[in-house]
Amino acid sequence: MSFKLTKVQFFVMLFFIETGIVYISFQQGLIRGGGRDAWIMFAVTAIIVFIQLLLFEKYYQRFILGKITSWLYILYWLALIIGFLGYMQYTLNTWVIQSTPPIITLTLILLVSLYISLSRPSTIINLGVLIIPLVIIFIVFILIATHELKFSNVLPLGTSTVPQWLSGMHNSSIAFIGIESYLILRKYVLENEKVAGKPLLIFHLIVSIFMGASVIGTEFYYALKEINLIPEPIIYILKSQKVTFVKRLDIFFIYIWLAWGILTINLFIFNIRIVLFSKKRKHPQRMMIILHCFILVVTLFLVSIYQVDLIRKYIGYLYYPFTIVLPTIIIIKNRRRDSKCDKSQ
């Protein structure tokens, strides 16, 4: 793929990949599983992920996908897209469009996605730049709720048990699902710029503070027993805020999240495009149309509350094989291959 990104564009894409899927909901699973020390667990996970990013930066040139691993990652990204679309449809039906058939909503969302996918790659970057101000507005209105926060909700510290730490660390890692995209974007579409060090640290701090603040804010806003009843804590916080110019602030921001989510879906499709078309293939537009039709058909079977909850419960486990295990195996294998080639020469 000849399309290239600047460093800023690269980090903008990664920001939306990491935040778009789980931002309004991951806090509940983390706090419910981890207890009062959930925010500490998230901080520990963020440090581990930063080390992981440093390793990605050091060895990304050796992340070379074969036929089998390429299709494994394509199926993984499709699973994320389909799971997220099912959750998006469920959320829209719950909060906004209760009587609209899922086929209409999903078709409209995927038509927008298809249009973006068939456009020039720069289109997705321009959309990201347009959505950033909306995300900032999102944060500002969440901050309005600071006067209702109760700092005693996180006290006393250090009360979480070992099983809670294991659950909390797992649910914290879900906040960084999609981070393997770093290897794809860094290798194929980023200009040859220095990323390791300060730029990478600043980017990861922005993402970690953005996601971590939502965890701390949720803990401060809700008592530990209340969080079990709140599936989308960020949206409920917004619903409780009253402003003069919008009657339902939560619905206003669900539409912002919808645009945010469509961009995230397209970024995962962009990953698929890179892997599929790293070698020239015939009829790329036809393949994108078939891909979107496949996503639509499968997602229509996953819009019930039971299936959505099942996906939310288990999709986080995909983080470990595709973000840790497979990259490690692929990089070590290619490193050994390079070493043998050097010795033979």
Side-chain angles (χ1 to χ4, degrees), residues 65-79 275 318 321-322 326 330:
L65 296 176
K67 288 184 179 180
I68 295 176
T69 50
S70 293
W71 280 105
L72 284 174
Y73 272 99
I74 288 169
L75 292 173
Y76 162 65
W77 290 321
L78 284 173
V275 173
L318 295 176
F322 289 97
L326 268 177
I330 292 168

Side-chain angles (χ1 to χ4, degrees), residues 6-260:
T6 65
K7 193 188 305 183
V8 174
Q9 291 171 333
F10 170 71
F11 284 132
V12 167
M13 290 181 77
L14 278 178
F15 175 84
F16 284 107
I17 285 173
E18 288 189 50
T19 60
I21 289 184
V22 299
Y23 183 73
I24 68 168
S25 60
F26 85 98
Q27 301 87 356
Q28 187 208 34
L30 171 54
I31 299 169
R32 185 173 58 185
R36 287 190 175 88
D37 297 333
W39 65 277
I40 302 175
M41 300 168 193
F42 181 85
V44 173
T45 304
I47 294 170
I48 294 171
V49 171
F50 179 64
I51 296 170
Q52 190 177 351
L53 284 173
L54 290 175
L55 293 172
F56 281 176
E57 172 61 23
K58 185 175 181 179
Y59 296 111
Y60 73 90
Q61 292 286 7
R62 292 193 170 97
F63 187 74
I64 302 169
L65 296 176
K67 288 184 179 180
I68 295 176
T69 50
S70 293
W71 280 105
L72 284 174
Y73 272 99
I74 288 169
L75 292 173
Y76 162 65
W77 290 321
L78 284 173
L80 292 181
I81 292 167
I82 291 166
F84 182 45
L85 274 173
Y87 176 64
M88 184 183 289
Q89 172 62 40
Y90 162 72
T91 304
L92 290 173
N93 277 350
T94 302
W95 290 86
V96 184
I97 47 175
Q98 291 85 354
S99 58
T100 305
I103 190 170
I104 295 177
T105 309
L106 290 172
T107 300
L108 290 173
I109 291 172
L110 286 170
L111 282 175
V112 174
S113 173
L114 179 60
Y115 171 77
I116 297 170
S117 296
L118 296 179
S119 302
R120 294 184 303 172
S122 58
T123 302
I124 200 167
I125 294 297
N126 296 333
L127 284 174
V129 172
L130 289 173
I131 292 175
I132 284 176
L134 297 179
V135 175
I136 294 172
I137 295 172
F138 198 102
I139 296 169
V140 169
F141 279 96
I142 291 175
L143 291 174
I144 293 176
T146 53
H147 67 283
E148 300 181 34
L149 303 183
K150 298 178 181 178
F151 298 95
S152 59
N153 285 346
V154 297
L155 298 175
L157 298 177
T159 57
S160 297
T161 62
V162 172
Q164 284 181 311
W165 266 89
L166 293 174
S167 176
M169 294 291 286
H170 165 66
N171 284 285
S172 294
S173 66
I174 293 173
F176 298 99
I177 199 165
I179 196 65
E180 75 289 335
S181 300
Y182 185 98
L183 292 165
I184 300 295
L185 298 177
R186 183 70 173 97
K187 183 175 179 62
Y188 290 101
V189 297
L190 180 62
E191 295 284 1
N192 189 21
E193 297 185 51
K194 182 181 178 182
V195 173
K198 188 176 179 180
L200 190 58
L201 176 61
I202 292 173
F203 161 74
H204 187 64
L205 281 174
I206 290 172
V207 173
S208 299
I209 292 171
F210 180 69
M211 302 292 275
S214 70
V215 176
I216 296 173
T218 301
E219 283 198 79
F220 285 167
Y221 195 87
Y222 300 105
L224 201 56
K225 292 182 179 179
E226 290 179 308
I227 198 65
N228 294 325
L229 307 173
I230 312 294
E232 289 89 26
I234 298 299
I235 300 300
Y236 276 92
I237 290 174
L238 289 169
K239 185 180 179 180
S240 68
Q241 306 309 307
K242 298 186 183 300
V243 292
T244 56
F245 58 90
V246 179
K247 187 176 181 180
R248 288 284 305 275
L249 195 60
D250 54 316
I251 293 178
F252 175 68
F253 280 101
I254 281 176
Y255 284 116
I256 293 179
W257 173 72
L258 177 62
W260 189 350

